[in-house]
């Protein structure tokens, strides 16, 4: 393989590696739920991720204006709420389905920013997928509370993109590291209140650190590296595979087997995301560090 071809392939592999790493890390995180709950697991993930990225990017070396600090704070609060709500959803609904529902957030932002006739096709596709997943009595109904948590995470993801764009003029590492600190202020107290002293068990702390690195730190680093070398449209198409990748890995790692209708719903979400990315004049792309 030529050097030129390899260099063009590396950012694509970086995005796929990010999606895979996030899904693997989240699948492992579910194994902590019986010990410290979704709240405690989310606290470890966000808390350790913040510490890792603070050490890597050292944001204190750059002055932050009051306006930028406000934008980063809003970005971080929605990031923390998104992570917590998503993990709460994972308690009762399959991983791949939770990701597909959560993807409605960035899809809504992408379509709202364009609102051209072709976008109604993607809106219809996304709506069809969501209707297939809602507990409306067809097939094997999903847990309503889990679905509502996932929808809440979708709303937070949409706000996270909006707030992230307002801090888009800052270096990505600066924004993400400080944003995760703000997210930790939201999530860690909830996790401590729920799990208490169990969070200090050395084995749980070590496992939580591994989850944070695999599901947050590595994906963020890979996405930031890929965004420097990939067109945003290409990045958006590749990241759209996340629900399908999550469902496939959950099937192998968590034994979460979906029905044909649920696979069709995930397919609708992926098609809607890819379609909106391809047809958008300026494809909005989730800010690096998107959860799942």
């Amino acid at each position: 393989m030529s050097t030129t071809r390899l260099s063009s392939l590396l950012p694509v592999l970086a995005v796929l590696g990010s999606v895979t790493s996030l899904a693997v890390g989240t699948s492992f995180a579910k194994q902590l739920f019986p010990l410290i709950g979704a709240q405690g697991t989310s606290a470890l993930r966000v808390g350790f991720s913040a510490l890792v990225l603070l050490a890597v990017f050292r944001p204190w070396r750059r002055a932050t204006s009051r306006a930028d600090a406000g934008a980063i704070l809003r970005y971080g609060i929605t990031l923390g709420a998104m992570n917590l709500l998503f993990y709460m959803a994972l308690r009762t609904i399959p991983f791949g389905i939770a990701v597909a529902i959560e993807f409605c957030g960035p899809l809504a932002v992408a379509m709202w920013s364009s609102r051209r006739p072709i976008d109604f096709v993607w809106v219809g596709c996304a709506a069809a997928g969501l209707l297939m997943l809602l507990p409306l009595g067809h097939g094997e109904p999903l847990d309503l509370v889990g679905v509502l948590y996932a929808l809440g995470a979708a709303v937070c993801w949409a706000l996270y993109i909006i707030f992230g764009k307002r801090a888009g003029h800052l270096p990505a590492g600066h924004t993400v590291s400080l944003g995760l600190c703000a997210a930790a202020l939201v999530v860690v107290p909830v996790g401590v209140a729920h799990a208490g002293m169990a969070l200090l068990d050395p084995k749980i702390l070590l496992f939580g650190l591994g989850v944070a690195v695999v599901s947050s730190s590595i994906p963020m680093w890979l996405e930031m590296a890929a965004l420097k070398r990939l067109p945003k449209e290409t990045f958006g198409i590749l990241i759209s595979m996340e629900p399908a990748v999550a469902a496939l890995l959950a099937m192998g790692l968590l034994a979460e087997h979906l029905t044909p209708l649920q696979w069709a719903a995930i397919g609708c979400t992926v098609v809607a995301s890819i379609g909106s990315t391809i047809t958008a004049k300026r494809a909005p792309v989730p800010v690096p560090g998107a959860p799942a």
Side-chain angles (χ1 to χ4, degrees), residues 8 11-13 15 225-235 238:
S8 64
V12 173
L13 294 176
V15 179
L227 273 170
K228 293 178 181 178
R229 303 173 63 184
L230 276 180
K232 289 187 177 182
E233 292 79 6
T234 304
F235 180 89
L238 291 171

Side-chain angles (χ1 to χ4, degrees), residues 89-158:
L90 291 182
R91 296 180 307 170
T92 55
I93 64 176
F95 180 24
I97 290 177
V99 174
I101 295 174
E102 190 188 31
F103 245 69
C104 292
L107 272 173
V109 174
M111 293 172 186
W112 179 260
S113 64
S114 179
R115 289 176 289 180
R116 294 180 300 156
I118 186 64
D119 289 322
F120 288 103
V121 176
W122 313 129
V123 169
C125 195
L130 185 59
L131 286 173
M132 292 180 194
L133 295 175
L134 292 178
L136 300 176
H138 48 64
E140 298 180 12
L142 295 172
D143 176 69
L144 177 59
V145 174
V147 170
L148 291 176
Y149 274 127
L151 288 172
V155 173
C156 288
W157 195 350

Side-chain angles (χ1 to χ4, degrees), residues 47-87:
F48 276 128
S49 296
L51 292 176
V52 169
L53 292 183
L54 280 175
V56 171
F57 293 108
R58 292 175 286 178
W60 56 83
R61 297 181 301 172
R62 177 190 177 95
T64 304
S65 69
R66 181 176 296 182
D68 288 341
I72 291 173
L73 182 62
R74 290 188 291 271
Y75 161 84
I77 289 173
T78 53
L79 174 60
M82 176 176 61
N83 276 272
L84 181 59
L85 290 170
F86 182 75
Y87 270 39

Side-chain angles (χ1 to χ4, degrees), residues 7-8 11 20 30 44 50 54 91 108 132 172 175-176 188-189 236 243 245 264 271 282:
S7 62
S8 64
T20 302
K30 282 195 76 170
L44 289 182
L54 280 175
R91 296 180 307 170
M132 292 180 194
T175 303
V176 173
V188 172
V245 172
V271 168
R282 294 180 180 177

Side-chain angles (χ1 to χ4, degrees), residues 1 11-12 17 30 48 57 61 69-70 105 110 114 126 139 145 160 162 178 180-181 205 208 229 242 251 270 280 290:
M1 183 180 295
V12 173
K30 282 195 76 170
F48 276 128
F57 293 108
R61 297 181 301 172
S114 179
V145 174
Y160 159 85
I162 294 170
L178 288 180
L180 271 169
C181 288
L205 284 173
R229 303 173 63 184
E242 189 174 318
M251 186 167 58
V270 171

